[in-house]
Amino acid sequence: MAENLDIEKPADAIAYLRKRGAIETHEQPRIQVLMGGVSSRTVLVERDGARSMVLKQSLPKLRVAVDWFSSPERIHREALALRWFQQLGPVGAFTEFYFEDAQEHLIAMEAVPQPHFNWKTMLLAGDLQHAHVKRFGELLATLHRNSASRAEELRPLFQDNTFFETLRIEPYYRYTAQQPGAREAAEFLLLLIDETLATNVSMVHGDFSPKNVLVHQTRMVLLDHEVAHFGDPAFDIGFALAHFLSKAHHLPHLRAAFLDAAKEFWRSYRFEPYRGFEPRCVRHSLACLLARVWGRSPLEYLGSEERARQAAAALAIMRSVPSEIPAFVDAFEKELACP
């Protein structure tokens, strides 16, 4: 393995693409580093007269404040997931896969055409549209439903959940359970871990959040599939709901709209993979709300007071957990209103 390849260095990226034959020898593509991800190097390769592409190279140590490691082999899980998601998801919801490099732990894929906008950026700017929320829920339901119907085919390919454990279970749930203030939540989190790892009914994206969605015209394109596995779809619901609720918390002037968006996301999903699914979704959302303030990857837009208030709200609801998502959203709103 040529461990010194760094695709964020334009000269290195161009030399690599020429050597591989992915571009013509005379080409001088423009290389733009794409910011925002913590687990990979990602660059846009813009070409004259040819389709642009994105290169993504996984890192062994993630770019966060605390030590967080994961094997760069996970990029090949992303390549496998991307090829399958194109079959399982709605048309246009995933980028076209180009190639992967097992030595450099790198994949190449279609670049989403311009103009496009990151949905998280739009939401934080107050651009919350009902159609986007509805499409977001329908996208996830389609992925879960279609993969559940092909379980015998997909489970053997995606049953290894090592990357899900190293990038989600450990940094979000186990790490949070070990924090001094989380003593009363530790049993809740550890039980949820056991239930989650024992459930394998559909594909799980594992990073289903607004930051991984690009909006291009009427398309919503889902990115970043490195923790995809066959497992508990309730995790995806809880992970996404926590993002809507955290933004409702952070943007009080839009709180009602984001709380309604959380309920609309759930209404749009309309799929029940197993009995007891909705209560499990609520518990995952509570766990993620807590993990996004006390875990290894706290939400960067929440200030210290907001983090403390969100943790207090999650802990309070954990003492008497609602079984339905609308009631849970209402409980979160009530806790935020408490002095």
Side-chain angles (χ1 to χ4, degrees):
M1 173 181 174
E3 295 183 352
N4 60 348
L5 174 64
D6 182 349
I7 61 171
E8 291 181 347
K9 297 178 180 178
D12 288 4
I14 292 171
Y16 168 80
L17 290 169
R18 284 181 180 153
K19 182 178 180 180
R20 187 179 177 89
I23 61 173
E24 302 294 335
T25 56
H26 65 276
E27 276 193 77
Q28 286 291 337
R30 296 171 295 281
I31 307 296
Q32 176 186 343
V33 176
L34 301 177
M35 308 304 292
V38 300
S39 65
S40 304
R41 300 181 181 120
T42 310
V43 301
L44 171 65
V45 182
E46 294 183 294
R47 308 170 66 191
D48 294 325
R51 289 191 299 177
S52 298
M53 72 179 82
V54 169
L55 299 182
K56 183 174 180 180
Q57 183 182 35
S58 55
L59 296 168
K61 184 178 186 296
L62 280 68
R63 294 163 165 170
V64 293
V66 297
D67 285 344
W68 185 359
F69 300 90
S70 181
S71 169
E73 294 282 347
R74 66 187 182 275
I75 197 73
H76 308 297
R77 170 57 62 89
E78 177 158 12
L80 179 64
L82 181 54
R83 292 195 290 269
W84 273 98
F85 285 169
Q86 289 174 325
Q87 302 178 43
L88 299 169
V91 174
F94 299 95
T95 56
E96 181 181 345
F97 172 79
Y98 288 168
F99 66 82
E100 66 182 304
D101 187 324
Q103 290 186 315
E104 300 294 354
H105 300 308
L106 177 154
I107 63 173
M109 69 197 90
E110 168 199 15
V112 178
Q114 293 285 0
H116 63 248
F117 306 93
N118 181 272
W119 196 32
K120 173 185 175 181
T121 302
M122 294 172 64
L123 293 176
L124 288 174
D127 187 358
L128 174 59
Q129 299 180 33
H130 173 87
H132 291 159
V133 175
K134 186 172 185 291
R135 198 168 296 129
F136 192 57
E138 291 171 346
L139 191 166
L140 186 61
T142 301
L143 186 61
H144 286 171
R145 184 182 295 109
N146 289 345
S147 61
S149 70
R150 300 176 67 174
E152 291 186 7
E153 188 177 6
L154 290 165
R155 188 178 287 115
L157 295 174
F158 291 96
Q159 63 184 350
D160 184 347
N161 57 16
T162 299
F163 302 128
F164 178 63
E165 291 201 50
T166 59
L167 290 171
R168 289 295 173 268
I169 294 297
E170 192 284 327
Y172 282 70
Y173 290 2
R174 292 194 195 279
Y175 184 86
T176 299
Q178 295 166 2
Q179 300 313 298
R183 183 174 302 173
E184 64 178 302
E187 183 178 355
F188 178 98
L189 292 166
L190 295 177
L191 178 59
L192 185 59
I193 290 171
D194 290 342
E195 292 175 346
T196 301
L197 296 180
T199 304
N200 49 24
V201 300
S202 79
M203 288 298 299
V204 178
H205 184 267
D207 202 1
F208 196 74
S209 71
K211 78 176 177 63
N212 289 329
V213 173
L214 296 181
V215 179
H216 170 63
Q217 298 176 353
T218 60
R219 291 173 61 193
M220 296 189 77
V221 184
L222 181 62
L223 309 173
D224 290 352
H225 321 301
E226 61 189 13
V227 291
H229 63 286
F230 210 85
D232 184 3
F235 179 86
D236 280 339
I237 295 288
F239 194 78
L241 281 172
H243 281 281
F244 286 118
L245 297 182
S246 295
K247 290 171 179 61
H249 177 196
H250 179 62
L251 300 170
H253 63 293
L254 294 173
R255 182 162 297 165
F258 274 102
L259 293 171
D260 286 344
K263 295 177 182 179
E264 174 60 26
F265 167 68
W266 173 244
R267 286 193 298 267
S268 301
Y269 180 77
R270 292 184 300 179
F271 180 50
E272 187 177 11
Y274 56 80
R275 182 176 297 178
F277 179 67
E278 187 172 3
R280 180 86 62 84
C281 291
V282 171
R283 293 168 62 215
H284 273 296
S285 186
L286 276 169
C288 287
L289 282 171
L290 196 59
R292 297 320 299 261
V293 298
W294 283 349
R296 292 187 188 273
S297 182
L299 289 170
E300 82 290 347
Y301 56 79
L302 294 178
S304 58
E305 290 186 6
E306 290 175 312
R307 292 180 186 183
R309 186 164 54 244
Q310 183 153 306
L315 291 172
I317 299 171
M318 282 181 184
R319 298 182 191 117
S320 181
V321 182
S323 60
E324 297 179 346
I325 285 173
F328 159 61
V329 173
D330 291 342
F332 184 71
E333 180 182 22
K334 181 178 179 181
E335 289 298 329
L336 291 185
C338 292

